[in-house]
Amino acid sequence: MMFFSKASFSRWWSMVVKEFLQLKRDRLTFGMIVGIPIIQLTLFGYAINSDPKHMPTGLIIEDHSEITRTIIATLKTSEYFDIVGEFADESSASRALARGDVQFVINIPPDFTKHLLRGERPALLIEADATDPTATAMALSSVNSVLEYVARKDLTGPLQHLAPAPAPFEARVHRLYNPEANTHFNIVPGLMGVILTMMMVLMTGLAITRERERGTMENLLAMPVKPLEVMAGKIVPYIAIGLVQASIILVAARIMFGIPFFGSIFLLYFAALIFVAANLMVGITISSLAKNQLQAMQMTFFFFLPNILLSGFMFPFRGMPQWAQVIGNVLPLTHFNRIVRGIFLKGIGFTDLWPQIWPMLLFSWS
Amino acid sequence: MNADLAIDVRDLVKSFAHKRVVNQVSLQVKRGEIFGFLGPNGSGKTTTIRMMCGLLTPDSGSGTCLGYDILHQSAHIKRHVGYMTQKFSYWEDLTLRENLDFVARMYTMDNRRHAVDEALEGLGLTERANQLVGALSGGWKQRLALAACMLHQPELLLLDEPTAGVDPAARRDFWEELHQLARKGISVLVSTHYMDEAERCHKLAYIFNGTLLAQGTSHEVVAAQKLTTWTIYGEHMAELSERLQRMDGVEQTVLFGTVLHVSGTRPELLERQVRAAVQGTSFRLEQSETGLEDVFIFMMKHAGRDGAPLA
Ligand SMILES: Nc1ncnc2c1ncn2[C@@H]1O[C@H](COP(=O)(O)OP(=O)(O)OP(=O)(O)O)[C@@H](O)[C@H]1O
Ligand SMILES: [Mg+2]
């Protein structure tokens, strides 16, 4: 923004001061500024886990032998399955699955050991309540390695020939940037953008429609203050608030969640500044369309929804169909998420971030 | 352009959603004059005022306000005009002092602190300067609004129903002050629904359905309709009023509690009819002067019936 005269600057500053005064008196908004980041962080950071462990598991054991006991014991020691009981037959197990009492039923069929010893590759049946695929995916993929481990350990001596031969080559996976695959390493930095989007769009949207709704806008317009000064006076306090919120999240990420921070803090604030500006523009646009605060609120949520769903915050960006990726790439949050995760976890620098920064700049100006 | 005129607008037209809200309105307000702007709800008073201070662009028409073009020089107009909106439009979550101070800053006044102190003193609200405006009663809000719109010492005041909801004593004080300001050369255009306030204006205009029906001093406005009025005193006159209304020569009856105004444009016929009507009853009959209210009601009915403005 450019100001040409001293008078103009002083009017703009008076707008800023007035905005802060009103904000200070508005306990609810003030509480939201500090409260929402904390609440969201706690909820998302602690509650969301796409790698759930200790899931209730039932057993149907129709073959008791040394080997089946080892299999069960090994499954128990894996973090994924908590054996909650044994079912007498198939139908009671099905009911428990349907009711949601158990997530898995592991069925060791009769003569499992006999078939195994004959080298017939018997099957171990695992039924999973896969209504939520994310909940079961990791557990299921761990089963085979459990079995392989048992086979290697127990099938020794004369049974050696039954043990699986290791593949002649192996894949060595390096999980870069988040070696333990912690969900909140991904979620918490992502929250910074989500919270900023929500608060910035909502608050500027409301700040201007509020003046209109209360009739004070009419009064402002009748005074020799220029619309640009009014707008700028409305925006600046919220940029400051946005940066405060970003700091709250940053500190909480370090202290509450121990998220590593490899990048440059200056760069993070720089990106946040542009991102906040982009969202404020959305807020201003909304406020010029909305007739009252309720409409502004509805429009904010209309804008917020694709941001949450398509920005790669909740679901992997590369898993989305092409059209959704196109939409996602327009949203500033998508780019900001890549930036923040990049700075936090990868420590990348400005030149690597530029491809994400210019779309946000473009968005701000259009 | 006439330098004596504070407001000089010609043929203002404004439509909202294809409905003509202001239709060919021309108004002239002299400097130092208190000009009353009357008309029923929704007749276009607020819309006209907004066009005069450059808040709203007319669809057609032109004019000047304090010599500045209302179409192109609204920045100058804003600086020298004090506009008090019909709806209270100050910040209820700021204190009185903060509100006044903010207004002073918007006008980039040099002697800000002094002006704010003086305004508070003038209101008699110095002790409550740090109270939130939202906590004031309706009448006090109204007075604060007036003080705030005069803070920058405007040459012209546009007041949109400034005394709505203000008690009679405060209303009187307020009009005293308006006359004082007018003596100092400040021009005032004030919209109101009160007849007693209309009588206190130097000039009047009456607008109905977007069309100006009359303009001039209250005498001129009344005289233009050439009405003769008789007043009947008594109780329970609703039936009498109805009977009179059906009579030839009686063009309008208006009942104010125990007083009935009967008006018409043919004096002899009217006199014969009212005398006949009260014959043999206890009602008291008197010839009286036609009042502003009689004239406004008369104009409104005629404009409604003919669809065309009188005068
Ligand atoms: N912004 C707007 N959009 C649409 N219609 C409007 C707008 N402003 C005013 N109107 C319409 O214009 C007409 C005149 O309104 P205006 O406010 O000028 O009347 P008024 O004479 O001030 O009435 P009142 O005495 O009730 O204040 C009304 O019918 C109103 O509904
Ligand atoms: Mg009005």
Side-chain angles (χ1 to χ4, degrees):
Chain A
M1 308 282 155
M2 248 180 278
F3 296 108
F4 297 105
S5 68
K6 206 171 143 247
S8 185
F9 178 82
S10 99
R11 279 195 299 263
W12 165 76
W13 180 243
S14 312
M15 279 298 301
V16 174
V17 170
K18 164 186 155 291
E19 213 58 27
F20 269 120
L21 271 174
Q22 291 183 291
L23 211 56
K24 195 181 80 186
R25 304 236 163 88
D26 185 355
R27 286 283 150 79
L28 187 67
T29 308
F30 205 68
M32 262 175 26
I33 291 165
V34 181
I36 286 200
I38 304 275
I39 292 170
Q40 295 242 27
L41 268 175
T42 319
L43 288 182
F44 279 92
Y46 286 122
I48 292 191
N49 185 359
S50 58
D51 183 14
K53 308 217 162 111
H54 304 290
M55 285 174 287
T57 306
L59 297 174
I60 302 176
I61 307 174
E62 293 171 288
D63 178 31
H64 295 270
S65 75
E66 183 89 16
I67 288 193
T68 61
R69 268 194 296 278
T70 321
I71 291 175
I72 290 161
T74 318
L75 282 174
K76 272 186 195 163
T77 54
S78 105
E79 293 171 303
Y80 288 104
F81 305 99
D82 273 2
I83 310 290
V84 293
E86 230 175 274
F87 296 105
D89 53 28
E90 187 67 33
S91 65
S92 59
S94 298
R95 267 200 307 280
L97 263 180
R99 274 199 306 269
D101 291 346
V102 293
Q103 186 91 24
F104 300 102
V105 172
I106 299 176
N107 186 346
I108 302 179
D111 302 330
F112 178 84
T113 318
K114 201 162 88 194
H115 291 297
L116 176 72
L117 292 179
R118 284 201 208 133
E120 286 170 3
R121 292 185 60 78
L124 193 75
L125 182 64
I126 300 181
E127 287 175 300
D129 173 359
T131 36
D132 180 359
T134 351
T136 49
M138 295 294 272
L140 289 178
S141 71
S142 80
V143 170
N144 276 323
S145 58
V146 166
L147 293 182
E148 202 169 302
Y149 169 80
V150 173
R152 288 244 183 75
K153 189 167 133 276
D154 275 28
L155 301 179
T156 48
L159 298 178
Q160 181 86 56
H161 66 284
L162 291 173
F169 52 82
E170 67 174 330
R172 220 171 254 170
V173 177
H174 285 216
R175 291 168 178 248
L176 290 181
Y177 311 125
N178 185 0
E180 290 164 49
N182 270 325
T183 315
H184 56 249
F185 275 29
N186 189 33
I187 292 275
V188 172
L191 268 178
M192 183 178 281
V194 169
I195 292 170
L196 286 180
T197 303
M198 190 166 103
M199 296 298 287
M200 294 299 102
V201 174
L202 189 64
M203 289 203 295
T204 29
L206 290 186
I208 295 168
T209 43
R210 186 163 47 225
E211 299 265 6
R212 199 171 305 137
E213 209 175 299
R214 294 184 183 168
T216 47
M217 193 50 111
E218 175 86 351
N219 198 350
L220 269 179
L221 293 177
M223 294 191 237
V225 54
K226 298 187 184 72
L228 188 68
E229 293 160 9
V230 175
M231 290 294 168
K234 288 264 166 196
I235 286 178
V236 166
Y238 295 106
I239 289 187
I241 289 169
L243 294 181
V244 168
Q245 290 190 314
S247 311
I248 294 177
I249 300 165
L250 186 65
V251 170
R254 294 289 296 129
I255 294 173
M256 285 164 66
F257 298 98
I259 315 281
F261 188 90
F262 292 110
S264 136
I265 207 150
F266 167 77
L267 203 54
L268 183 70
Y269 275 97
F270 175 71
L273 192 68
I274 298 172
F275 178 65
V276 163
N279 280 306
L280 293 180
M281 292 303 154
V282 177
I284 300 248
T285 314
I286 285 181
S287 70
S288 67
L289 297 175
K291 291 203 175 60
N292 51 45
Q293 294 192 64
L294 184 67
Q295 279 189 3
M297 204 103 101
Q298 288 169 328
M299 284 191 218
T300 303
F301 280 101
F302 189 73
F303 174 75
F304 192 53
L305 211 60
N307 266 294
I308 285 270
L309 298 177
L310 302 182
S311 67
F313 165 69
M314 279 218 171
F315 309 111
F317 192 80
R318 293 202 172 89
M320 301 194 304
Q322 199 61 40
W323 61 265
Q325 293 201 12
V326 170
I327 298 176
N329 266 326
V330 175
L331 302 172
L333 182 57
T334 308
H335 301 282
F336 188 67
N337 271 343
R338 291 181 197 153
I339 293 175
V340 171
R341 285 169 179 163
I343 293 177
F344 261 94
L345 302 176
K346 303 181 184 171
I348 56 182
F350 184 79
T351 41
D352 296 317
L353 287 179
W354 179 241
Q356 311 303 339
I357 287 177
W358 70 258
M360 294 203 304
L361 277 173
L362 194 70
F363 193 92
S364 316
W365 287 117
S366 59
Chain B
M1 195 178 75
N2 190 334
D4 289 343
L5 292 179
I7 299 176
D8 182 12
V9 292
R10 311 261 168 197
D11 302 323
L12 293 185
V13 173
K14 185 77 198 179
S15 303
F16 286 120
H18 304 296
K19 187 175 168 272
R20 247 188 206 206
V21 166
V22 173
N23 187 16
Q24 305 267 314
V25 166
S26 302
L27 264 183
Q28 282 76 40
V29 178
K30 288 211 190 81
R31 287 190 192 254
E33 190 169 74
I34 299 180
F35 193 99
F37 198 19
L38 288 100
N41 291 135
S43 53
K45 299 183 296 294
T46 302
T47 310
T48 308
I49 294 176
R50 294 182 71 206
M51 284 192 280
M52 291 190 296
C53 64
L55 276 177
L56 198 65
T57 316
D59 296 341
S60 69
S62 62
T64 59
C65 195
L66 295 170
Y68 300 112
D69 189 334
I70 59 165
L71 294 174
H72 310 293
Q73 294 181 297
S74 63
H76 293 280
I77 296 176
K78 285 174 188 177
R79 196 154 272 291
H80 299 284
V81 168
Y83 171 41
M84 176 174 166
T85 54
Q86 180 173 359
K87 183 174 180 281
F88 181 73
S89 59
Y90 288 85
W91 292 268
E92 306 212 347
D93 47 0
L94 297 183
T95 66
L96 274 82
R97 181 180 290 284
E98 283 161 357
N99 263 292
L100 291 170
D101 192 63
F102 178 73
V103 172
R105 281 168 186 271
M106 287 299 113
Y107 288 96
T108 44
M109 292 169 61
D110 303 325
N111 49 351
R112 212 176 65 227
R113 189 168 289 274
H114 179 70
V116 170
D117 282 338
E118 227 170 38
L120 283 168
E121 211 168 299
L123 281 168
L125 287 177
T126 311
E127 305 90 76
R128 298 169 73 181
N130 294 322
Q131 230 176 45
L132 291 188
V133 165
L136 290 179
S137 77
W140 278 108
K141 277 183 193 161
Q142 208 75 346
R143 287 153 90 166
L144 167 72
L146 187 69
C149 83
M150 294 199 304
L151 198 63
H152 63 291
Q153 302 182 322
E155 294 163 46
L156 168 67
L157 287 173
L158 300 173
L159 310 174
D160 200 353
E161 297 190 27
T163 53
V166 173
D167 67 51
R171 229 143 54 80
R172 220 169 22 245
D173 291 349
F174 167 74
W175 275 89
E176 288 294 320
E177 198 176 338
L178 276 197
H179 277 276
Q180 265 171 33
L181 289 169
R183 276 196 289 279
K184 282 191 232 158
I186 292 172
S187 328
V188 182
L189 180 125
V190 50
S191 81
T192 177
H193 290 293
Y194 294 109
M195 287 305 134
D196 62 318
E197 295 187 351
E199 310 269 8
R200 303 184 73 156
C201 296
H202 300 125
K203 287 258 185 66
L204 291 175
Y206 187 78
I207 188 173
F208 177 67
N209 271 350
T211 308
L212 218 55
L213 297 183
Q215 188 174 174
T217 64
S218 71
H219 271 295
E220 286 166 2
V221 170
V222 171
Q225 302 305 325
K226 303 191 173 62
L227 281 181
T228 316
T229 300
W230 289 80
T231 303
I232 304 173
Y233 300 91
E235 269 163 36
H236 310 298
M237 289 186 291
E239 189 265 336
L240 174 68
S241 161
E242 231 171 78
R243 195 147 47 85
L244 277 164
Q245 223 152 30
R246 284 194 300 270
M247 290 178 167
D248 220 21
V250 175
E251 286 166 65
Q252 172 173 298
T253 59
V254 186
L255 185 57
F256 303 92
T258 57
V259 179
L260 181 68
H261 286 193
V262 187
S263 314
T265 45
R266 283 177 290 170
E268 298 86 24
L269 180 60
L270 180 72
E271 181 170 358
R272 248 183 293 134
Q273 296 284 35
V274 285
R275 284 203 189 283
V278 297
Q279 195 78 58
T281 65
S282 60
F283 296 127
R284 195 158 57 82
L285 183 68
E286 226 173 59
Q287 177 155 30
S288 59
E289 268 185 39
T290 307
L292 268 177
E293 192 151 16
D294 300 316
V295 170
F296 289 151
I297 296 171
F298 185 72
M299 285 192 287
M300 199 166 91
K301 276 208 297 216
H302 276 253
R305 198 160 61 211
D306 310 341
L310 300 169

